[in-house]
Structures are given as C-alpha cells and as structure tokens.
Amino acid sequence: MLSLYGRQLSSRLLLGTAQYPSPAVLADAVRASKTEVVTVSLRREMAGGQTGGQFWSLIEQLGVAVLPNTAGCHSVKEAVTTAHMARELLDTNWIKLEVIGNHDTLQPDVFGLVEAARILSGDGFAVFPYTTDDLVVAERLLEAGCQVLMPWCAPIGSAKGPLNIDALRTLRGHFADVPLVVDAGLGRPSHAAAVMELGFDAVLLNTAVAKAGDPVAMASAFGKAVEAGHEAFLAGMLEPRDMAVPSTPVIGKAVFS
Amino acid sequence: MKLTVNGKAQDVAATTLAALLAELEYEGRWLATAHNGELVRAAERGECRLAEGDRIEILSPMQGG
C-alpha cells in the first residue's frame, strides 16, 4: 500500500480539482477515479467568504484527503506564507510546494524550492515538492526534509507525457525507498501507465481529466491505467529483445514434406 | 484609512483586521488572512492593528491542481 507521510492510501492517483465544467462533474470525476487525495489552492475571496465555503463543502462531501498547493507562487516568501495560510485554514500540515521560476514553462525555481522546502519542513510541514527530474535537486530536497518527491514528466498542462524516461528511471533507481509521484505533464492514461511501469509510486494530474471530452469517463480510465501500470511493475516485465522468439513451441510441430 | 485589500485600494473605517472583515462583509470560517505578507490566525484578527498603506490578503480554498 502507498504511504505518504504516514498516511496509507489504496489509490495511487492524486487528482487536481481545477478546470472542470461544473462542480457536479468534478465530484463525479473524483468518485470515478477512486482517488483518495485531491489538490486545492488558496485564492483571493471576492464574494464575502461564500465562494470558498461552497467549494469547500463540496470537497468535504467527497471524503478525500486534501493536499493544498502553493500554485502560482514565484518567490520563497509567497510560497511559505501561502503554506502557513493553508495549514491554518484546512487543518493539514500537507503542502504541495510550488515555486514557479518561468512564466512560459511553469518550470519550478529549484533554488527557491529547496529553500522553501527547508523552511517549511522546519515549521513542521509535510512537503510535497513539485520539482524537475534533476537528480541533484532531488537529493537537496531530501536533505531539506522532504520525504516525498514530485518530479514533473513534462510542463504543467502540456499533455505531452514523459519527455525524459531516462531521467525518471535514474530517480527511481537512486531513491528506491522514497515515494516518487509524477506530477504534471501527463496527457493520457497510457502516459500514466508508462510511468507507473517504471516503478513510480503514484501520479498527480488534473488537466488531462478536467479538459477531456468526458471528464468522468477519463477519470475512471486514468484510475485503471495507474492500477494496471503498478500491477505490471510488480509483476516484472519482459525486457525488449532484438530478435523474434516464437511463442508457440517448436517441438511437436508436424512435418508435411 | 487607505489599505490595499486583495490587491484593490480601499478606504475603510476599521482599525483592526477583525473589524475590516466585518466592514467589508466577509464572513464564514473559510477565510485565511495575511497582514503585510504574514499569516494572521483567525483568533488573532481582533488584535491585528491596521495602519495606513497596509496590505491585506483574504483567501479561501478554491479549485487547484
């Protein structure tokens, strides 16, 4: 069973809550995906406190764990303050830490990320850092106190799927005992299955489900792909071979001439 | 007193953060507040004194990825 900061989870899919056509579709997609963890953000409340309250009552009805994020923060200070506000409001020490370094690629500022991770770990947070697939940055994040790593596989919302399989393999190989969650860049269920087959512990996605033609059906499809990929990893896959190898036995074949 | 609330200039009578929320008709438990970039817990809003030019953020949980 997957364990993230001591919490046991039977689903290996973490789902974002943004960009769905309606709150009802979001709720149905969460149920169809069988996820047990959803991400939320903190944003400026413009309606006297009612918008957030309505959204929050919907999330509470779903009975899932909540992973608040620091999405859109471009500095250590912003990310740290947002994390503290999220902890006060949502009564969880979990934080998906994003410190964005580039507007176009939404690439993490890994220097700021490590600094913010160190501060927040020291403040008692369970930090889920959204990072690149860089090995040395991953090491620094673990030194900073992170017990989970969330490397991207492609830019957020790009739907490109894993762009650098070798880097993901390297991370998995180096950090055998650290929960690794691929966060960002997954476009279709086969992408999710592919990273799970590499031995990743879980995936976090949002846009690929929320912007699908039928988000509820896509949530279900991703849930199955994640499970299939994980089961395949555990089962041990056949490595590719250069030559054909007959699957039907050669011995006992009839000779007609 | 002139403040910046959620990025918008506001002229208010309130002198504490708790009074500001009431004046601007914010209510409910799903609000998180920051004063000049620092978290102010719900229980501490009554003692949080405001000064000219302060920056206030009032946030709530929303959709996110």
Side-chain angles (χ1 to χ4, degrees), chain B residues 38-61:
Chain B
E38 299 292 341
L39 165 70
V40 180
R41 293 175 206 286
E44 297 162 356
R45 287 175 192 151
E47 290 94 66
C48 177
R49 311 289 305 178
L50 303 178
E52 189 79 21
D54 281 355
R55 290 170 294 111
I56 307 297
E57 292 286 338
I58 305 167
L59 309 184
S60 62

Side-chain angles (χ1 to χ4, degrees), chain A residues 18-36:
Chain A
Q19 305 184 76
Y20 291 81
S22 72
V25 172
L26 161 62
D28 287 345
V30 167
R31 289 189 196 99
S33 73
K34 297 194 167 68
T35 186
E36 292 165 325

Side-chain angles (χ1 to χ4, degrees), chain A residues 140-162:
Chain A
R140 295 288 183 273
L141 287 167
L142 295 178
E143 286 165 16
C146 298
Q147 294 172 30
V148 172
L149 296 172
M150 300 213 298
W152 69 355
C153 77
I156 295 174
S158 70
K160 288 185 174 180

Side-chain angles (χ1 to χ4, degrees), chain A residues 169-194:
Chain A
R169 268 188 209 280
T170 301
L171 288 180
R172 182 69 286 175
H174 273 262
F175 305 115
D177 300 325
V178 179
L180 298 180
V181 181
V182 166
D183 176 14
L186 298 167
R188 47 189 64 196
S190 57
H191 296 155

Side-chain angles (χ1 to χ4, degrees), chain B residues 12-40:
Chain B
V12 299
T15 56
T16 67
L17 183 53
L20 176 74
L21 291 181
E23 185 176 337
L24 299 179
E25 297 180 336
Y26 279 97
E27 53 186 32
R29 48 194 278 256
W30 299 114
L31 297 172
T33 48
H35 176 229
N36 293 333
E38 299 292 341
L39 165 70
V40 180

